[in-house]
């Protein structure tokens, strides 16, 4: 607000209305898929062998401690496409909502998780609900064949230009 006032920029503040909070329709299913994904990736980081032997040491090496990992809700997404989709279906998540949430890309007889083999950073809206993800590869990127960072695409619930990373924590 201070900077906006200083540079004559209008601040438009929007609080989520009842329609944003109400559990109904496709938007609610997309938010459910995103929340499931967040839980899945945190679980993968803390409760799997790969998370504990690869991802957590990687974060520690980069100076990111357990307090920051928990505060920011960091996670890890292993390369397990078929198991990932099976787990989602088992937990009541329709894969089409994973796609609408920007998490997965579905193909005719298969699909893949956009964030495979990456450390994930949830993106929250102003009230603290996860609406998207950023992710970073742990692989050395000398050949430039894989993107270092991957972010959620624009979706029904995530509009990059309307979100400031960490705003829910700052609030």
């Amino acid at each position: 607000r201070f900077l906006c006032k200083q540079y004559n920029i209008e601040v438009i503040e929007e609080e989520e209305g009842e329609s944003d909070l109400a559990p109904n329709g496709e938007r609610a299913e997309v938010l459910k898929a995103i929340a499931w994904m967040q839980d899945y990736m945190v679980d993968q980081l803390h409760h799997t062998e790969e998370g504990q032997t690869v991802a957590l040491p990687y974060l520690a090496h980069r100076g990111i401690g357990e307090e920051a990992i928990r505060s920011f809700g960091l996670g890890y997404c292993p390369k397990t496409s078929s198991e990932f989709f099976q787990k989602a279906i088992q937990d009541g998540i329709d894969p089409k909502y994973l796609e609408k949430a920007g998490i997965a890309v579905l193909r005719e007889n298969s699909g893949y998780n956009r964030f495979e083999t990456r450390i994930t950073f949830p993106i929250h809206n102003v009230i603290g609900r996860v609406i998207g993800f950023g992710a970073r590869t742990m692989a050395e990127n000398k050949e430039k064949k894989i993107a270092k960072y991957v972010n959620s695409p624009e979706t029904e619930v995530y509009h990059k230009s309307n979100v400031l990373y960490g705003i829910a924590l700052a609030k």
Side-chain angles (χ1 to χ4, degrees), residues 18-31:
E18 288 300 315
S19 64
D20 293 323
L21 299 173
N24 57 30
E26 192 165 286
R27 180 180 172 85
E29 292 299 319
V30 169
L31 288 168

Side-chain angles (χ1 to χ4, degrees), residues 11-58:
V11 177
I12 301 170
E13 294 189 37
E14 295 180 10
E15 291 292 325
E16 288 191 310
E18 288 300 315
S19 64
D20 293 323
L21 299 173
N24 57 30
E26 192 165 286
R27 180 180 172 85
E29 292 299 319
V30 169
L31 288 168
K32 179 180 166 186
I34 292 169
W36 175 85
M37 182 64 171
Q38 173 62 10
D39 292 343
Y40 171 81
M41 291 187 294
V42 168
D43 183 67
Q44 292 296 308
L45 178 64
H46 293 285
H47 302 111
T48 65
E49 183 178 339
E50 189 175 347
Q52 292 179 351
T53 61
V54 178
L56 284 173
Y58 173 83

Side-chain angles (χ1 to χ4, degrees), residues 34-42 45-46 59 68-76 103 115 118-125 128-136 150-152 158 163-169:
I34 292 169
W36 175 85
M37 182 64 171
Q38 173 62 10
D39 292 343
Y40 171 81
M41 291 187 294
V42 168
L45 178 64
H46 293 285
L59 289 168
I69 291 169
R70 293 212 187 273
S71 293
F72 286 91
L74 304 187
Y76 173 67
I103 295 166
F115 304 110
R118 294 175 182 272
I119 298 292
T120 58
F121 305 81
I123 300 168
H124 298 86
N125 63 10
R129 179 179 283 151
V130 179
I131 56 172
F133 299 96
R136 186 189 196 287
V150 174
N151 298 308
S152 291
Y158 174 62
V163 178
L164 180 61
Y165 184 80
I167 190 68
L169 287 173

Side-chain angles (χ1 to χ4, degrees), residues 66-136:
E66 188 61 35
E67 184 178 335
I69 291 169
R70 293 212 187 273
S71 293
F72 286 91
L74 304 187
Y76 173 67
C77 192
K79 184 174 179 70
T80 56
S81 287
S82 62
E83 293 158 13
F84 167 77
F85 287 108
Q86 288 171 3
K87 175 78 171 130
I89 292 166
Q90 175 186 336
D91 290 347
I93 304 298
D94 187 328
K96 77 177 180 183
Y97 293 114
L98 291 171
E99 184 170 49
K100 288 180 186 247
I103 295 166
V105 176
L106 301 180
R107 298 219 168 101
E108 209 170 295
N109 293 321
S110 66
Y112 70 91
N113 180 333
R114 178 183 306 274
F115 304 110
E116 285 183 351
T117 67
R118 294 175 182 272
I119 298 292
T120 58
F121 305 81
I123 300 168
H124 298 86
N125 63 10
V126 72
I127 65 167
R129 179 179 283 151
V130 179
I131 56 172
F133 299 96
R136 186 189 196 287

